[in-house]
Structures are given as structure tokens and as C-alpha cells.
Amino acid sequence: DTGVSQDPRHKITKRGQNVTFRCDPISEHNRLYWYRQTLGQGPEFLTYFQNEAQLEKSRLLSDRFSAERPKGSFSTLEIQRTEQGDSAMYLCASSPGRMPPQYFGPGTRLLVL
Amino acid sequence: AQTVTQSQPEMSVQEAETVTLSCTYDTSESDYYLFWYKQPPSRQMILVIRQEAYKQQNATENRFSVNFQKAAKSFSLKISDSQLGDAAMYFCAYRRIGGATNKLIFGTGTLLAVQP
């Protein structure tokens, strides 16, 4: 068990570019969550997968955001036409079913110039 | 909607001393979980302690314990014998039981400094 991993750890991009982040949950964890954390704030829920099904999306997740979890394993979060307001830490977490806790990855820090 | 409030943006404690971090929450649910997560600088968030609302006994994990007051909707974290490694951002979080997602709702965090 190597924990939740995320790639890349840091990403700098120019406004208008597309970016994609990857999350590898703990093996056999069927629930996967994405959160966004801005400076000085707690993480805010973005979206949730149970296996390969995306069951909930926050209103924070605009049309420029899309997430997938093919085959119920790793997940990707794509942001199209990035804006400076997208600059944040994007956290992934996984859990083994309905019972807590959620285990967090190290996050991907995005800076949009 | 559920909310979590941490009214102490920053706290400081001397090494080996005890510190208490405050958290209040608002919910209409009767069953839920409460958590304290620790986020060290540039490191990932880890679970410190959790409390099930239906349990009256306060949770403890080594030097960490909580004071859960359900009627007051208060959930404070006590760190005893503080160590330099306890320095971090601490987040209080709420999760309802049941529902579709079990997403966590976080407070804004308390930055804890530990003075040698």
C-alpha cells in the first residue's frame, strides 16, 4: 500500500491552456474524491466517483472542468481554457467504501499565469 | 447546508505544553462523523482523529483527544505534550452518514506553531 499518488505535483501554465492531472488511489479503494484548496482555505469538494461512475459534481465544477475514472482505477481531472482563478491545490482522496476515513494524496499545485 | 467554522486562524504553543483547537459546526442531521486532519507544510493531509456523533465517549489517539459536545455542536481538539512535529495546519471536517457521496466539509483551518 503506497498511498494515494498524484501527478504532477506542480504545474505552471499560461491562461487559456488546458491541463490534466492524474490521481492513483489506494488499490481496491472504490471511492475517489477530488477537492480544491485555495490559499488560506480548507479543501472544497469538487466531484466524487464510486468505481467508474461519477455520482456527484459540485457547482464549483464549471463546464471547463471534466473528470474521469475509466475502469474504476486512476482518475484524471482536466481543466480547459485555464483562468487565473483556477490557481489552487487540487487534492485527490480515496476511501474503501462507505466507511471513513478518506486518505489524501499530496496534491497538485496549479499556477495559472 | 452543513458548515464548519474554525475561529482561530493561528495558535501557538510551547513544546511539551497542551493546546486546544476549536471547531463548531452546523447541521440538521443527527448522525454524522467529525474529523481533525493535519496538513504539514508542503506535505499531504493526514487524519488525526475521528468521532462518530452517535458515540458519547470522546475519541482519543495517543496525545490527541477531542471534546465533542453534540448539543452545542462543538468539536475541539486537544494536543497534549506538544512536539515540534505537531506544527501544521489543522482542519476540522464534517461528513454526514448516508447520502450519496459522503463528501467532507472542511473548516478554514488553524495554523499551529510549536515553540521550542
Side-chain angles (χ1 to χ4, degrees), chain A residues 61-79:
Chain A
L61 216 63
S62 74
D63 291 344
R64 297 184 297 104
F65 288 71
S66 63
E68 295 182 339
R69 192 184 182 196
K71 303 179 183 178
S73 56
F74 71 91
S75 176
T76 58
L77 178 67
E78 180 183 17
I79 309 175

Side-chain angles (χ1 to χ4, degrees), chain A residues 4 9 31 33 35 37 40-45 48 50 55-56 89 91 97-107, chain B residues 33 35 37 39 42-47 50 52 54 89 91 95 97-109:
Chain A
V4 179
R9 296 289 305 278
R31 296 181 177 224
Y33 304 78
Y35 294 84
Q37 184 178 18
Q41 299 296 317
E44 295 176 290
F45 170 77
Y48 157 71
Q50 185 172 328
L55 297 185
E56 184 172 345
M89 175 78 86
L91 297 169
R98 293 181 60 83
M99 298 302 291
Q102 293 177 20
Y103 297 86
F104 282 82
Chain B
Y33 295 104
F35 305 87
Y37 277 89
Q39 189 175 41
S42 302
R43 295 181 61 186
Q44 65 198 81
M45 196 164 333
I46 59 174
L47 178 68
R50 76 182 192 196
E52 291 86 348
Y54 59 86
M89 182 72 86
F91 291 100
R95 204 207 88 178
I97 293 178
T101 63
N102 304 314
K103 64 188 176 189
L104 291 170
I105 298 171
F106 287 88
T108 52

Side-chain angles (χ1 to χ4, degrees), chain A residues 86-97:
Chain A
D86 297 331
S87 296
M89 175 78 86
Y90 290 84
L91 297 169
C92 177
S94 68
S95 68

Side-chain angles (χ1 to χ4, degrees), chain B residues 80-93:
Chain B
S80 304
D81 186 24
S82 296
Q83 301 175 359
L84 295 177
D86 294 334
M89 182 72 86
Y90 286 82
F91 291 100
C92 179

Side-chain angles (χ1 to χ4, degrees), chain B residues 31-110:
Chain B
D31 289 327
Y32 46 86
Y33 295 104
L34 295 166
F35 305 87
W36 280 97
Y37 277 89
K38 170 185 177 181
Q39 189 175 41
S42 302
R43 295 181 61 186
Q44 65 198 81
M45 196 164 333
I46 59 174
L47 178 68
V48 174
I49 198 166
R50 76 182 192 196
Q51 174 79 43
E52 291 86 348
Y54 59 86
K55 290 186 178 179
Q56 293 186 341
Q57 186 174 5
N58 289 325
T60 61
E61 286 289 342
N62 301 313
R63 297 182 297 107
F64 299 87
S65 61
V66 299
N67 184 2
F68 172 50
Q69 301 291 326
K70 189 173 184 179
K73 296 181 182 176
S74 171
F75 183 60
S76 61
L77 174 69
K78 185 172 79 172
I79 307 174
S80 304
D81 186 24
S82 296
Q83 301 175 359
L84 295 177
D86 294 334
M89 182 72 86
Y90 286 82
F91 291 100
C92 179
Y94 166 99
R95 204 207 88 178
R96 63 180 293 197
I97 293 178
T101 63
N102 304 314
K103 64 188 176 189
L104 291 170
I105 298 171
F106 287 88
T108 52
T110 296

